[in-house]
Amino acid sequence: MECTVWLFVPAVVLLIVLFFAFDHHLRKIQIPDIFSKYVLITGCDSGFGERACCRLDAIGCNVIAACLTEDGVARIGRKCSSRVHPIAMDVTDESSVRSAVESVSKILPEGRGLWGLINNVGISGEIGPFEWFDKSVIERLFQVNVFGTVGVVRAFLPLIKKSGSGRIVNTTSILGRVSVPFAGPYCMTKFALESFSNSLRVELHSSNIKVVIVEPGAHRTPFLDQIAKNVHSAWEKLPDSRKQEYGENYLNKVIFLGTKFIPFFGSTDLNPVADAYCHAVLSKWPRSRYTIGLDANLIRFTTFLPSVVADILYLFAIWLSTFLK
């Protein structure tokens, strides 16, 4: 009996090693004819979108870079090769999205569909306790982070199906799997996008379209730089009675958590996220989910903890901010 047990353990370890080795090899296989593929990326004005656009351009893909601003369109045009086609698109404006569909249809060669769609657009919104937010703040977050992405998928799905197969990459966040204090509305939108992506992945399986989720942690992009402004914006909208209730110390604590504590674990390197985007659209067998960043992977493990333990960790972080600011 003891001999059987001692043989069983190495056999299990060997199987696990072989599985991960096979999985690693499988993920490295690229799709054929990369240079003929067309990929649309939203939010190319800066950050992850701009970096992914440049990376795919360098690889040799044809990229349609959707930017919110004309300045973004001009900058991408100057920065990239002729393989990149910058267009303007506001994901919250249905007429803008329809115009973008028409522009993309003209860019695509005759009879060819869109291979990939990378939904990169997102905003952080205002940061702070839930009762600091009015309804319009939450609606704006959902308009961009959820309805914007859903609307773009709906609009471009026929062009992706025309390829016979393809990729849809949705950028959520590790906060789409774990909720944290002072970012409740933002977490709500990311949870919604995770749910949408998980459902869509199964629904489009028969169409040979793979739906991929990318979950970045905190990265020092313009997205993160906006946090302090957003906290002050929420604070300034509060009535004086509410400001007295919380006090300036509480405001400073929220600002510290958003601008010092979280970014401390974040990264200045945008390449891992851009690499995940590229792998998702170019690998023959992409992963269903890419969790990017040390902080994201650490936070992910709190999902395995009892809620009371996770709450204690968050409360400890808030308490610790009092002494570190």
Side-chain angles (χ1 to χ4, degrees):
M1 182 68 178
E2 289 183 8
C3 181
T4 304
V5 172
W6 282 110
L7 288 173
F8 176 75
V9 172
V12 170
V13 172
L14 179 60
L15 284 173
I16 292 173
V17 171
L18 288 174
F19 169 79
F20 280 105
F22 177 73
D23 180 75
H24 179 72
H25 172 72
L26 198 66
R27 307 298 180 186
K28 290 174 68 176
I29 301 174
Q30 288 193 330
I31 58 172
D33 202 16
I34 289 174
F35 306 119
S36 68
K37 304 298 185 186
Y38 284 75
V39 177
L40 169 65
I41 309 175
T42 65
C44 288
D45 299 78
S46 62
F48 301 141
E50 182 182 20
R51 186 65 58 88
C53 175
C54 295
R55 184 65 58 86
L56 286 171
D57 179 30
I59 292 171
C61 281
N62 300 284
V63 181
I64 303 167
C67 301
L68 176 62
T69 65
E70 291 299 331
D71 286 343
V73 170
R75 184 169 61 255
I76 288 292
R78 292 191 301 268
K79 196 170 185 178
C80 300
S81 75
S82 59
R83 285 186 297 270
V84 175
H85 308 270
I87 64 171
M89 181 172 71
D90 180 351
V91 301
T92 65
D93 184 339
E94 290 186 9
S95 63
S96 176
V97 174
R98 284 195 298 269
S99 296
V101 172
E102 293 175 4
S103 297
V104 171
S105 298
K106 293 175 182 176
I107 292 169
L108 293 171
E110 184 71 26
R112 188 170 296 172
L114 182 66
W115 168 255
L117 166 62
I118 300 176
N119 283 302
N120 170 68
V121 168
I123 59 173
S124 63
E126 294 177 357
I127 304 297
F130 177 75
E131 64 176 341
W132 287 14
F133 310 126
D134 58 36
K135 184 181 177 182
S136 64
V137 171
I138 300 172
E139 288 176 341
R140 175 62 179 166
L141 273 167
F142 271 88
Q143 194 66 34
V144 176
N145 293 355
V146 181
F147 302 135
T149 295
V150 171
V152 169
V153 170
R154 182 185 297 277
F156 285 95
L157 188 54
L159 285 177
I160 300 173
K161 285 186 172 182
K162 190 175 179 181
S163 288
S165 60
R167 303 293 154 76
I168 296 174
V169 182
N170 290 332
T171 309
T172 63
S173 167
I174 191 58
L175 300 186
R177 298 172 73 186
V178 180
S179 292
V180 297
F182 308 128
Y186 176 78
C187 294
M188 289 159 60
T189 66
K190 294 304 181 178
F191 267 81
L193 202 51
E194 289 263 347
S195 299
F196 169 63
S197 302
N198 287 330
S199 298
L200 194 66
R201 183 172 59 251
V202 179
E203 292 173 10
L204 295 180
H205 177 75
S206 60
S207 300
N208 201 25
I209 297 172
K210 292 180 171 61
V211 178
V212 178
I213 295 171
V214 175
E215 299 172 336
H219 285 74
R220 292 167 194 174
T221 65
F223 182 94
L224 197 60
D225 295 338
Q226 191 66 25
I227 287 180
K229 294 179 181 178
N230 290 344
V231 173
H232 280 291
S233 174
W235 176 261
E236 291 303 321
K237 294 175 185 177
L238 293 177
D240 291 339
S241 59
R242 189 63 52 81
K243 290 180 181 178
Q244 291 175 1
E245 175 188 342
Y246 279 95
E248 291 283 344
N249 286 337
Y250 199 91
L251 169 65
N252 294 332
K253 189 183 299 185
V254 174
I255 292 174
F256 173 83
L257 286 169
T259 60
K260 297 291 192 299
F261 190 82
I262 295 174
F264 176 79
F265 295 99
S267 173
T268 56
D269 186 7
L270 307 185
N271 289 322
V273 178
D275 290 342
Y277 285 160
C278 294
H279 189 270
V281 295
L282 299 182
S283 172
K284 189 173 183 180
W285 305 103
R287 301 184 184 282
S288 297
R289 177 178 278 104
Y290 297 79
T291 303
I292 313 296
L294 174 63
D295 61 323
N297 282 284
L298 289 174
I299 292 173
R300 181 164 61 96
F301 283 107
T302 63
T303 60
F304 301 104
L305 298 174
S307 295
V308 64
V309 176
D311 290 350
I312 289 171
L313 290 176
Y314 294 138
L315 289 168
F316 175 74
I318 295 171
W319 173 80
L320 190 63
S321 69
T322 305
F323 301 95
L324 294 179
K325 62 186 178 180

